[in-house]
Amino acid sequence: MRLVKIGILLLLLLVLNVANAADFYVSPNGSDSNKGTKRRPFATLMAAKYAARKYLGREMVTVHVAAGVYYLPETLVFKPEDSGTEKYPVVFKADTEGEAVLSGGTKLQLTWKPYLNGIYQASTPEDLKIDQLFINGLNQRMARYPNYDAGKKTDAYQGYAADAFSKERAAGWKNPVGGYIHAMHSRLWGGYHYIITGKDVNGEITYKGGWQNNRQMGMHPKYRMVENIFEELDAPGEWFHNANTNTLYYMPEVNTDLAKATVEVVRLTRLVEFQGSMDAPVSHITFQGFVVRHAARTFMDTREPMVRSDWTIFRGGAFMLIGTENIQILDCEFDQVGGNAIFVSNYNRHTLVKGTHIHDTGASGICFIGDPNALRNPLFQYREKNEFIKLDLTPGPKTENYPALCTVEDCLIHGIGTVERQPAGITIDMASEITVRDCSVYDCARSGINIGDGAFGGHLIERCDVFNTVLETHDHGSFNSWGRDRYWRVQGLDLAKYPELPFADAMKTTVIRNSRWRCDHGWDIDLDDGSSNYDIYNNLMLSGGLKFREGFRRRAWNNITVNNTFHPHVWYPNSGDEVFSNIFMAKYRGVKVPTAENSGKLVDRNLIFNGVLTQKFGWDENSIVADPLFIDPKNGDFRVKEGSPAFNVGFKNFPMDQFGVKKPALKAIARTPVIPSLATAGKRDKKPKSKKMTTKATTWMGANISGLTGMAFSAYGVSQDEKGIALITVPEDSEAAKAGFLEGDLVLTVNGQQVATETQFLKIVSEQSAPLKLKVVREQQEIFLTVDIK
């Protein structure tokens, strides 16, 4: 009898559980006039969304989506009335992970016929606009010059030409209106994009655009490319659509059978959007197991400046979140979307992106971007400065309109920035307590992970594997940050009197730990202008080393920099920086650091592998030069053996097998960085032959001068190609001072001639008979000074 009662109770619980769950079904073979049952499914997710509303808050809702391609006629929008609850969430789930495709495009049925020189043509529907063309699932290239070369991974646009839109080149273009110019920033800090508007009376190309970079310095004279020009259609994989004649031209790849090919074009910018607010958020909705494809490029809409960042951004993505709580994107794939994949804008709490594969995006992978109006005294241009008397000293945000407590976990992100050149795998601006964990991020035009400002800190980055970054750009890192917050370069501020001000925005400590980094074109970890309140520990840096530029309270310990070292650039007095118990492999490469005034709180107890100590101003008093005795560096195990001298400076081993994505399906396809061979001591550092050995300073007009070496150009805000002569010290009574020079000036040219070494500079100066006109960089801005040499 007792067993019967238990059986009845279990059956009753099962019935109650079923009664508290509503299930709907969607299939490409369904109909929206159906009931949405398993036997009679809906055809669209939109129909399922509306059918679910009567059950919200009373039952858990699951929308089962069958395999197939769902061409969305419009953006699928979720509003507060579509929300689930913590107890009764709403789940849209692919029946089989990776087999239900959400498409922002249209499938075309075309009849192809030969045109000329291997090009085919087909008539298209009237009023069709084509942003991208996909053939058999692969994104093709607009007709361009110069042609794309996949082997040139670190070349700008995988093919560039100084004459990309020259008058001579354009003479062969009948009607270039609607073509695009893509050009790198003059100092390779990202890029610019322009739309061609025609030709002027002299045959020169006219265009508009260039707002995609927040450090306006003009386009690079050499690194340029044009696309969407009919006359440049001359390579397999290229296409051109003539909207006036409704004709699509395409040169297929070898072995492509156009008669059987699947042809798709892109329409939508946003495929799924959650539209809520702080007061009425969209909440407790999950998307799981989908492939997201065919989202339009957005590079001509990338114009919103971030807070004194180098970036502008387009506030949008294939998935767009505005005003949400507890939205989850699980086990999805974002495949070749034209702009940002996921954009988390303004108020969002507890967003979770997990187990997701994002690849070959036109812009960034995942963006967490808050509202500038949530900040106090925000400025947007690099050269803008707050005045202290007008400064709001209240710590923290003005509003809650920013992302917080969000997580990106166990994701694979690569191929970032196929169109734009100022993206990141994950970017964070005006946000708080964002966690990035167990992610593999690589093949990025710019940074892998970027934090654009100090507001409001508290981020955690751990167990990530980030490499092959800054591929086409310059002066950046696999991890990059800025901290140009309200305190930065304030006019009339004495920071000694207000030591808490750098933390008014960077309120909470950001932690970077237990991760592996490799950047061969910049720094592995780059804490740039103003970055403050960081703890950095247990990181393996394989190439570019660790950089700290002006900021406060950065603590780095128990890190390893392979074949590189610590780069302190331009520190503030009383910065409170601490660098200890690390393993470096060269002498520190400081720029204007250390001095008696800006030596930080502690730079000591480090191990320098076959290098040279920096024993001045209290640095390295207890550091050592020694072999750390790595266990197996050839295979990436940089733990140290028992008895290693590294233990004597406080170093502790940390795991070398936990970097990057963990999900088995993603880990199986994820790449890992090339492990470098340990460089010989001579390639890392050259020891002085004698303690008495000194170097005589080079002087000019009473000032000490020096050419730039290594990565010192970054401190002056110039490209490595520009070179230059730095004025290290400029005594007040020197002729250089009287001529208007200041300590820290960088001379780029003398009467138009580029200068690179002290010897060359002095030779050029001595050969001039007229007044010298010198192009000088001062505080990262170009000025001209004239010196009378009579």
Side-chain angles (χ1 to χ4, degrees), residues 193-205:
H193 311 274
Y194 307 82
I195 188 167
I196 295 174
T197 56
K199 299 181 186 179
D200 64 18
V201 294
N202 297 315
E204 298 282 357
I205 288 294

Side-chain angles (χ1 to χ4, degrees), residues 472-673:
E472 299 171 53
T473 55
H474 172 83
D475 194 6
H476 212 56
S478 285
F479 173 84
N480 180 81
S481 67
W482 293 291
R484 299 163 184 160
D485 306 329
R486 71 180 105 162
Y487 88 90
W488 190 65
R489 299 187 176 180
V490 172
Q491 293 176 324
L493 169 64
D494 182 356
L495 277 171
K497 295 181 180 179
Y498 297 90
E500 72 285 352
L501 192 56
F503 311 104
D505 290 312
M507 302 168 57
K508 302 171 184 176
T509 301
T510 290
V511 176
I512 304 174
R513 68 187 182 194
N514 297 304
S515 295
R516 181 168 62 187
W517 311 86
R518 177 163 184 165
C519 182
D520 294 339
H521 310 280
W523 291 272
D524 295 333
I525 297 179
D526 181 2
L527 270 59
D528 208 355
D529 298 343
S531 300
S532 298
N533 205 0
Y534 279 80
D535 279 355
I536 301 174
Y537 60 93
N538 292 3
N539 292 280
L540 175 61
M541 293 172 250
L542 294 175
S543 180
L546 172 65
K547 173 188 156 192
F548 285 2
R549 189 182 166 99
E550 53 191 15
F552 290 88
R553 210 216 75 92
R554 286 81 59 89
R555 303 176 70 242
W557 73 96
N558 221 69
N559 302 288
I560 302 169
T561 64
V562 178
N563 298 335
N564 212 305
T565 189
F566 176 49
H567 300 255
H569 287 191
V570 196
W571 283 12
Y572 290 118
N574 304 311
S575 67
D577 292 323
E578 297 178 75
V579 181
F580 59 95
S581 299
N582 301 284
I583 297 175
F584 296 124
M585 299 194 190
K587 183 180 180 181
Y588 313 139
R589 294 169 185 163
V591 178
K592 305 179 185 178
V593 180
T595 69
E597 293 76 28
N598 63 0
S599 57
K601 183 177 180 180
L602 174 70
V603 180
D604 199 7
R605 302 198 309 275
N606 295 303
L607 183 149
I608 314 297
F609 183 11
N610 288 328
V612 178
L613 301 181
T614 304
Q615 291 183 316
K616 54 183 177 180
F617 307 113
W619 285 25
D620 280 348
E621 290 183 352
N622 300 286
S623 296
I624 60 175
V625 174
D627 184 341
L629 303 177
F630 295 127
I631 290 177
D632 187 9
K634 289 183 179 180
N635 292 303
D637 188 351
F638 288 88
R639 291 176 300 161
V640 298
K641 299 175 182 177
E642 184 178 351
S644 166
F647 295 129
N648 297 332
V649 296
F651 180 84
K652 298 178 181 179
N653 279 324
F654 56 93
M656 295 283 164
D657 57 356
Q658 298 181 11
F659 306 125
V661 67
K662 307 295 190 298
K663 181 180 175 181
L666 296 181
K667 188 172 183 177
I669 61 174
R671 286 169 40 211
T672 55

Side-chain angles (χ1 to χ4, degrees), residues 271-464:
L271 277 65
V272 177
E273 183 165 339
F274 302 88
Q275 293 181 355
S277 65
M278 274 192 291
D279 297 328
V282 181
S283 64
H284 295 94
I285 299 176
T286 295
F287 268 72
Q288 185 170 8
F290 293 94
V291 175
V292 180
R293 194 176 287 158
H294 305 146
R297 302 186 302 175
T298 55
F299 60 90
M300 289 306 295
D301 294 315
T302 301
R303 61 172 75 210
E304 179 186 345
M306 297 291 93
V307 182
R308 282 197 286 189
S309 163
D310 289 6
W311 289 42
T312 61
I313 203 161
F314 170 67
R315 200 174 279 264
F319 270 42
M320 180 71 174
L321 284 68
I322 309 169
T324 75
E325 294 177 356
N326 296 287
I327 301 298
Q328 297 186 346
I329 302 169
L330 308 178
D331 303 317
C332 290
E333 177 186 359
F334 289 78
D335 173 22
Q336 304 170 88
V337 298
N340 304 309
I342 300 171
F343 201 104
V344 183
S345 178
N346 295 343
Y347 178 82
N348 291 273
R349 297 293 185 271
H350 304 290
T351 304
L352 174 63
V353 182
K354 185 175 180 180
T356 289
H357 184 193
I358 299 173
H359 62 93
D360 303 298
T361 65
S364 292
I366 306 173
C367 306
F368 296 94
I369 310 291
D371 176 9
N373 292 317
L375 275 64
R376 302 178 191 274
N377 306 106
L379 297 174
F380 298 93
Q381 299 302 316
Y382 177 84
R383 302 215 164 275
E384 290 184 290
K385 296 181 180 180
N386 279 311
E387 296 181 40
F388 180 67
I389 58 173
K390 299 179 181 179
L391 203 63
D392 184 345
L393 301 180
T394 308
K398 288 169 62 177
T399 75
E400 298 296 310
N401 199 24
Y402 55 86
L405 301 168
C406 301
T407 300
V408 179
E409 184 173 348
D410 207 7
C411 291
L412 174 58
I413 303 172
H414 59 97
I416 301 301
T418 60
V419 179
E420 303 183 35
R421 293 302 185 266
Q422 189 70 292
I426 301 166
T427 189
I428 301 168
D429 288 77
M430 299 170 285
S432 177
E433 296 179 279
I434 307 299
T435 294
V436 181
R437 176 185 294 125
D438 295 327
C439 291
S440 293
V441 185
Y442 53 85
D443 292 350
C444 303
R446 205 82 171 114
S447 59
I449 300 174
N450 183 78
I451 297 178
D453 52 53
F456 299 97
H459 312 304
L460 171 61
I461 299 168
E462 64 178 354
R463 298 195 302 271
C464 290

